[in-house]
Amino acid sequence: MPTTYEQELTSEQTYVDTLYNRLDELRDRIRGQLRAVLLDSGTGTPQSRVERDAFATAYSDRIGQLDAAEGRLCFGAMDHTDHRRVYIGRIGLSDDEHDPILIDWRAPVATAFYRATLADPHGLVRRRHLRTKGREVRGFTDDVLDPAGASDGPVVASSSDAPLLEALSAPRSGHMHDIVATLQAEQDRVIRADATSVLVVDGGPGTGKTAVALHRAAYLLYTDRERLARSGVLVIGPSPVFLRYIEQVLPSLGETGVVFATPGRLFPGVDAVAGEDDRVVALKGDLRMARLVAAAVKDRQEVPPNGVDVPYDGAVLCLERRTVENARARARRSRRPHNAARRVFVRELVTALTRQVIGHLAGGLLDDDETDEIAGYLRADPDVRAVIDAMWPQLTPQGLLAELFATPARLAAAGTAVRLTNAERHLLHRPAGSPWTPADVPLLDEAAELLGDPDDESAELAAWEAEQERRAEREYAREVLDGLGLSEMVDADMMAERWSGSRRRRSAVEHAGGDRSWTFGHLIVDEAQEVSPMLWRLLWRRCPMRSATLVGDLAQAANPAAARSWADALTPHIGNRWRVERLSVSYRTPSEIMDVAADVLAAQDPDAEPPRSVRATGRLPVAVRVDGSVDAVVRRAADTALQAAEDVGEGKVAVICSEGLRERVRAALAAVPGYPASGYPTTADTATDAADLLAAPIAVLTVAESKGLEFDAVILAEPGAILGSSRRGLADLYVAMTRATQTLTVVHCGELPTVLHRLGDRPAMTT
């Protein structure tokens, strides 16, 4: 007998209740196991500590996964032709008999949920989408794939697009949400693609590229967990605002084995956020800079033209030019990095000086120990060290580049190797102490590769100091045990080892975040079209296995150092180990806005094809012309944003403008009585600033800050200023126009740019 919709809804609620009961049971059980591990003091041996920490980490990770699944534990079901029903959710669950009661969305069997169609039902007669809030099932929608096989079910409004359109129409929150419940077939194919090579996910605005890349990371952490748990996944985003925007996606899927970074924060100890001229950015991104840095390192390995005198112990020794040349040649032939090769250079020169000292001694014959003692004194002598350091100094990447860019003579000497012009040397020159920029980071990393670690002298000193500290800890432990009368029962060395230092076991991700030499198992690069050739060199050093997902749209490229094609960007670094998957449907941008944005795209590249919008809102983008100066534009943009904030309610509004207008718009909003913008962040350089920007009722952003983000309503202030702000002004305008999910308002003074003629055809509002 056919069931009714209400009966089916009750049945689904009963099953979901069962799933949540199982979730609670597992969570309570694992929490008990974690509590027991943490309270168990064990035997106190190093092995027991490692085992305890490993179990504690595993239990904590599993609790985190279960907690992350709480929101939408189960979101769908599949009815197969053999009358089996399989439920799909964020995680997999089994009953006490180990039979599956919920299938993880990443499992192979879940593929049918995302790819089944009427033409190819993948063995399904029906796909069901559950609408839930918390633990309550609010409703469901069925896609009937075989009407004959599904005839016993209730009559339910059936539309495969309904769950997707509902999600797209929901108000934005300032953070990206996962899309596991609404993945489309073309997205699912990309997520589950083979990970042994580099996959380029190419697509226009709103095609879900970023979401697909993050879900692909979650999928790979599921299918290759053992390897990636050790090495981690590196995600590169264009800005701190963007990283803050996407930060909740992977935790909501129960995955935390990921390091997030911007290009300016890829070199430990350097936070590069300063800006610089586009011409300098383009030059620093050029592959010639690798040879420039190498030449700068060699330039610091100097040979005095006439030899050098070395004062020592009241006498004057001499290092002839040929002696220094031979020492430098031996050091370079070692093929070690500069700082490591320095030890070869020092050894050769100290040997030559030792022979001179022995030659001045009466008799001139010494045994090996006496010879070594003299060499040790020479090596430690400040005057000797100063002479050697002047010829082959110990260098840091920051010190090398700072002096290179600040010293015209050094820049000219190194620039000869790469044929830098006078104009290019002028662009690279900057005063000592200037802040680092994102374009400097690949050069710093290049220098670190060539310089290597600091000289072992400092490392040996640190090791000696650490050993002294350990000895002090062991002595203190013995005193404590003697005072308690336990010296015969407890080993003092073991006690000191057990309680000294941190007891927390660091994860691979925690290690990787501050270790430049760490290599990741998988690399994800968002806005990959902006990556310069020099930055690609850095990124491939971080991921030598060449397992990567690159996300981008060449039509949105604004970096003057970026390549014009994926082949130009990738082939010089990884050959043909890459392929492209194209996403063609825009889920974010309504057709009314995309039609206008398509004109901007065509002006930039007549051969480019815009993505096809999946929906229309019936609301045309509007041009608002204001009379007067830019100040009037600022005031009108602020007023329009405030009105839009009232219209979208819980949604998000953005004002996108040139960098020159950003602070003026923020000031105009802050001056509005009652508007909660006092203390509005003036930058987005830190995670705190980024959080404040995304949490504000109205975000005021430059085009660069808005990349990858989406808002219910966008107010685009003075498009002419955006067009004229860089050589890629059309690309910037295209990006700015495609951030809105509902409405777009363009505020301007004077005539609209010609490329926006469709807006000009509509009635303009004048103030």
Side-chain angles (χ1 to χ4, degrees), residues 116-183:
T117 63
L118 284 171
D120 183 8
H122 284 256
L124 304 183
V125 296
R126 176 166 46 197
R127 171 176 48 212
R128 174 162 290 179
H129 302 273
L130 300 178
R131 298 194 302 277
T132 61
K133 185 173 183 180
R135 298 190 171 197
E136 180 184 358
V137 180
R138 294 289 184 87
F140 62 86
T141 302
D142 287 344
D143 301 333
V144 178
L145 304 169
D146 181 354
S151 58
D152 290 340
V155 178
V156 182
S158 177
S159 171
S160 59
D161 292 333
L164 174 64
L165 295 176
E166 181 181 355
L168 296 177
S169 300
R172 268 40 194 172
S173 66
H175 289 279
M176 178 181 283
H177 298 291
D178 67 72
I179 57 172
V180 290
T182 57
L183 280 173

Side-chain angles (χ1 to χ4, degrees), residues 109-282:
V109 70
T111 304
F113 183 80
Y114 298 110
R115 301 191 189 179
T117 63
L118 284 171
D120 183 8
H122 284 256
L124 304 183
V125 296
R126 176 166 46 197
R127 171 176 48 212
R128 174 162 290 179
H129 302 273
L130 300 178
R131 298 194 302 277
T132 61
K133 185 173 183 180
R135 298 190 171 197
E136 180 184 358
V137 180
R138 294 289 184 87
F140 62 86
T141 302
D142 287 344
D143 301 333
V144 178
L145 304 169
D146 181 354
S151 58
D152 290 340
V155 178
V156 182
S158 177
S159 171
S160 59
D161 292 333
L164 174 64
L165 295 176
E166 181 181 355
L168 296 177
S169 300
R172 268 40 194 172
S173 66
H175 289 279
M176 178 181 283
H177 298 291
D178 67 72
I179 57 172
V180 290
T182 57
L183 280 173
Q184 302 302 291
E186 68 170 1
Q187 297 172 325
D188 185 71
R189 278 191 292 271
V190 172
I191 288 170
R192 298 175 193 269
D194 180 69
T196 57
S197 63
V198 175
L199 177 66
V200 179
V201 184
D202 185 283
T207 52
K209 303 183 297 297
T210 300
V212 164
L214 294 174
H215 286 68
R216 178 165 165 76
Y219 173 76
L220 295 176
L221 285 164
Y222 174 82
T223 58
D224 197 5
R225 185 170 300 280
E226 182 178 355
R227 179 178 69 87
L228 293 181
R230 293 194 307 269
S231 58
V233 175
L234 175 62
V235 177
I236 305 298
S239 69
V241 179
F242 175 83
L243 294 182
R244 194 74 178 190
Y245 177 67
I246 67 172
E247 67 177 358
Q248 296 180 0
V249 174
L250 284 167
S252 74
L253 298 172
E255 300 297 348
T256 56
V258 177
V259 173
F260 292 92
T262 62
R265 291 182 168 93
L266 282 172
F267 192 86
V270 170
D271 191 5
V273 297
E276 58 190 337
D277 188 276
D278 280 354
R279 294 170 299 171
V280 181
V281 173

Side-chain angles (χ1 to χ4, degrees), residues 97-111:
E97 303 300 322
H98 303 291
D99 292 326
I101 57 176
L102 183 67
I103 300 298
D104 192 298
W105 67 275
R106 296 166 289 189
V109 70
T111 304

Side-chain angles (χ1 to χ4, degrees), residues 413-433:
T416 302
V418 295
R419 298 181 179 179
L420 283 182
T421 66
N422 289 335
E424 288 174 327
R425 290 200 300 271
H426 178 73
L427 286 173
L428 290 175
H429 177 73
R430 68 185 185 192

Side-chain angles (χ1 to χ4, degrees), residues 629-644:
S629 65
V630 172
D631 289 335
V633 171
V634 168
R635 289 193 299 270
R636 186 53 190 257
D639 291 343
T640 306
L642 289 167
Q643 182 59 54

Side-chain angles (χ1 to χ4, degrees), residues 310-635:
V310 184
Y312 176 71
D313 196 23
V316 177
L317 308 177
C318 180
L319 289 173
E320 296 181 351
R321 175 183 175 86
R322 179 178 296 277
T323 300
V324 179
E325 284 180 336
N326 289 338
R328 183 175 70 175
R330 286 185 176 232
R332 287 178 174 177
R333 281 199 302 269
S334 71
R335 296 190 177 278
R336 299 176 184 176
H338 171 90
N339 288 327
R342 178 180 184 274
R343 295 197 293 275
V344 178
F345 183 76
V346 171
R347 184 182 67 231
E348 293 293 318
L349 296 187
V350 168
T351 299
L353 293 172
T354 301
R355 285 197 293 265
Q356 292 183 43
V357 172
I358 294 174
H360 293 156
L361 297 176
L365 293 175
L366 301 176
D367 60 27
D368 290 344
D369 289 341
E370 292 171 320
T371 300
D372 290 343
E373 185 177 2
I374 292 175
Y377 283 126
L378 281 165
R379 193 186 300 270
D381 186 86
D383 291 332
V384 175
R385 292 177 65 88
V387 170
I388 294 177
D389 287 347
M391 294 184 289
W392 193 300
Q394 180 176 312
L395 297 172
T396 65
Q398 294 94 320
L400 175 74
L401 289 186
E403 185 174 0
L404 174 66
F405 292 148
T407 312
R410 290 209 179 275
L411 191 54
T416 302
V418 295
R419 298 181 179 179
L420 283 182
T421 66
N422 289 335
E424 288 174 327
R425 290 200 300 271
H426 178 73
L427 286 173
L428 290 175
H429 177 73
R430 68 185 185 192
S434 298
W436 298 110
T437 72
D440 289 322
V441 169
L443 278 63
L444 289 167
D445 199 73
E446 194 76 27
E449 284 290 304
L450 297 171
L451 296 176
D453 294 330
D455 201 348
D456 278 349
E457 293 167 82
S458 56
E460 290 172 0
L461 177 60
W464 181 84
E465 291 176 344
E467 178 58 27
Q468 303 313 303
E469 185 176 347
R470 283 192 292 271
R471 288 180 179 177
E473 289 172 348
R474 288 195 291 269
E475 183 60 31
Y476 176 72
R478 290 190 186 95
E479 292 176 0
V480 171
L481 293 174
D482 287 342
L484 296 174
L486 299 176
S487 56
E488 296 183 1
M489 302 175 60
V490 180
D491 184 87
D493 290 349
M494 183 179 296
M495 179 179 176
E497 175 68 22
R498 176 179 174 84
W499 296 111
S500 64
S502 172
R503 297 181 60 196
R504 189 172 65 89
R505 179 174 176 265
R506 297 178 70 200
S507 67
V509 168
E510 289 174 308
H511 281 292
D515 185 354
R516 193 197 70 82
S517 63
W518 188 276
T519 57
F520 291 85
H522 193 76
L523 170 69
I524 293 177
V525 183
D526 205 290
E527 303 292 346
Q529 77 277 357
E530 305 291 359
V531 175
S532 70
M534 283 299 296
L535 182 53
W536 280 125
R537 284 174 65 88
L538 181 158
L539 293 176
W540 295 127
R541 280 195 288 268
R542 297 293 193 274
C543 187
M545 291 185 63
R546 305 297 194 262
S547 174
T549 306
L550 313 179
V551 176
D553 179 14
L554 295 171
Q556 298 184 58
N559 188 338
R564 301 302 181 187
S565 70
W566 294 121
D568 290 344
L570 300 176
T571 302
H573 304 281
I574 59 175
N576 61 358
R577 288 194 57 191
W578 58 278
R579 64 185 182 88
V580 177
E581 286 281 354
R582 174 78 180 174
L583 298 179
S584 58
V585 178
S586 177
Y587 302 99
R588 174 203 306 143
T589 311
S591 58
E592 294 89 348
I593 297 176
M594 186 58 73
D595 289 343
V596 181
D599 293 335
V600 180
L601 178 62
Q604 178 187 352
D605 181 0
D607 297 327
E609 185 175 344
R612 174 177 54 85
S613 296
V614 77
R615 66 195 176 95
T617 62
R619 305 177 69 176
L620 299 174
V622 175
V624 178
R625 186 175 65 238
V626 299
D627 295 329
S629 65
V630 172
D631 289 335
V633 171
V634 168
R635 289 193 299 270

